[in-house]
Amino acid sequence: MKSMTGYSFCETDNEEIRISAELKSYNNRFLEINVNVPSCLQGVDNSIRKYLSDRIARGKIEFYLRIKEMKNDVSVEVDENVAMGYMRAFEKLREITGITEEITLSSIIRQDGVLKKREPDPALYEKYILPLLEKVCADYEATCIREGENTKTDILRHMAVIERNVAEVEAHSGEFESLIRKSIYDRFHELLGENVDESRVYAETAMLLMKYTINEELVRLRSHIEGFHATLESDEPAGKKLDFICQEMNREINTIGSKSMMVEIDQAVVDMKDALENIREQVRNVV
């Protein structure tokens, strides 16, 4: 089992450059990937996105690739055509407006595109990207697995509460018939005194048992619990399936609660619903 939340940061460097990769994820119903790379490497963002989508099943993914040049010298170029274009435009503005203010160098260099930092050759960096991507993904997956195991332990703890209370309900379900029969007999006795028709009591008891029996709900609930454990141990992404099984379990528990005529079963239902709600919160965190 893997958690949908994870984090990893890795970097590599040499005398010329330092490249870092950061990968983090959050809970999400579907797979959503956001890739952020320097402008000089825009051509590789689709490859990175595909690499991630092949390895991550679900979640909101954020990936950042950062590059820092270790050299102190920075190459800056002047775009002569842009600079002269601004100069002519400023001269034209002076003629139109009649303003005689001097055109300064600072007013020219503040304009976009006049000074340009020379962008490095992407080929210099691309050879470092794949090994770094592989490392950051491996570390990220390790954090997801570790967090997933912690989540699984907590889920099993709450599931044990449900199974213990299912056994409690099963232990008391056999008392239903005698409880219902006694209730009907007492009512007949109150109305008719000693002239109680036993066959009528049995008939009424059978009708109420058909209405209030919880045997079918218990069988289905046990089946859902077995399916939940099997899915939990699967190596395949199971978050959505586990959530669906929780919905089915909740339906059976609610039905048992609505049919209950005993305080012991009522309390067991409350404990099961509380444990199941905790499980559903945890299931939403797994892939």
Side-chain angles (χ1 to χ4, degrees):
M1 171 177 283
K2 295 180 184 178
S3 171
M4 216 183 306
T5 58
Y7 178 82
S8 177
F9 177 86
C10 299
E11 65 179 11
T12 182
D13 58 26
N14 56 34
E15 295 180 353
E16 297 182 345
I17 58 171
R18 174 180 296 157
I19 304 179
S20 65
E22 183 180 22
L23 178 60
K24 50 187 174 181
S25 62
Y26 310 93
N27 293 350
N28 200 43
R29 290 184 63 191
F30 308 102
L31 179 62
E32 179 183 341
I33 300 177
N34 296 312
V35 176
N36 300 273
V37 299
S39 58
C40 64
L41 292 173
Q42 288 299 324
V44 303
D45 57 346
N46 287 332
S47 298
I48 293 174
R49 185 174 286 103
K50 185 178 186 308
Y51 186 93
L52 296 175
S53 65
D54 288 342
R55 288 157 179 80
I56 302 174
R58 192 157 64 105
K60 182 176 182 180
I61 313 300
E62 293 184 0
F63 178 84
Y64 299 90
L65 188 70
R66 301 178 179 92
I67 296 175
K68 180 180 180 181
E69 293 189 34
M70 307 303 287
K71 296 179 180 179
N72 292 325
D73 58 318
V74 178
S75 177
V76 179
E77 299 175 349
V78 176
D79 191 317
E80 296 182 16
N81 292 329
V82 173
M84 291 306 300
Y86 278 117
M87 187 67 182
R88 287 191 294 270
F90 290 159
E91 290 284 2
K92 186 68 173 180
L93 281 172
R94 288 208 307 178
E95 293 177 12
I96 294 172
T97 61
I99 297 175
T100 58
E101 180 180 342
E102 182 181 358
I103 301 172
T104 63
L105 179 61
S106 62
S107 64
I108 298 293
I109 63 176
R110 283 199 299 265
Q111 309 309 312
D112 291 338
V114 174
L115 297 180
K116 296 190 298 184
K117 179 182 177 182
R118 182 179 60 81
E119 294 291 349
D121 183 0
L124 298 175
Y125 303 138
E126 289 179 359
K127 62 181 179 180
Y128 299 105
I129 293 176
L130 181 57
L132 188 62
L133 188 58
E134 291 174 343
K135 187 174 189 305
V136 78
C137 281
D139 289 351
Y140 165 81
E141 183 172 12
T143 66
C144 291
I145 292 174
R146 185 166 57 251
E147 183 62 29
E149 287 303 311
N150 292 335
T151 301
K152 180 180 177 180
T153 299
D154 192 60
I155 288 174
L156 289 173
R157 180 171 62 86
H158 291 297
M159 184 58 71
V161 173
I162 292 178
E163 293 178 88
R164 186 165 60 249
N165 280 279
V166 169
E168 180 74 9
V169 172
E170 288 172 335
H172 289 287
S173 63
E175 302 173 27
F176 259 38
E177 182 174 353
S178 59
L179 183 66
I180 291 174
R181 189 176 188 282
K182 183 178 184 305
S183 175
I184 293 174
Y185 187 89
D186 289 344
R187 277 188 291 166
F188 273 86
H189 189 271
E190 183 180 345
L191 293 171
L192 304 175
E194 297 299 327
N195 300 318
V196 178
D197 185 350
E198 290 291 336
S199 62
R200 181 69 183 277
V201 173
Y202 282 120
E204 292 288 338
T205 301
M207 290 179 61
L208 284 179
L209 281 175
M210 290 179 62
K211 181 178 180 181
Y212 289 105
T213 184
I214 57 174
N215 289 334
E216 291 185 8
E217 286 77 11
L218 287 171
V219 169
R220 286 195 294 266
L221 185 53
R222 281 290 188 189
S223 176
H224 293 324
I225 290 173
E226 291 178 7
F228 189 94
H229 280 295
T231 304
L232 197 64
E233 298 301 327
S234 172
D235 293 331
E236 299 298 320
K240 290 182 178 180
K241 186 175 181 180
L242 290 173
D243 189 47
F244 174 75
I245 296 175
C246 285
Q247 294 178 41
E248 296 301 307
M249 291 170 62
N250 186 60
R251 182 177 291 109
E252 303 303 337
I253 293 172
N254 282 336
T255 303
I256 291 171
S258 68
K259 291 183 175 183
S260 173
M261 299 175 64
M262 302 179 65
V263 173
E264 294 86 354
I265 293 180
D266 290 342
Q267 184 57 55
V269 166
V270 170
D271 292 343
M272 284 191 289
K273 287 175 69 68
D274 179 63
L276 186 61
E277 184 58 33
N278 286 313
I279 290 174
R280 294 188 72 177
E281 289 181 5
Q282 292 287 38
V283 163
R284 296 186 185 105
N285 295 326
V286 301
V287 176

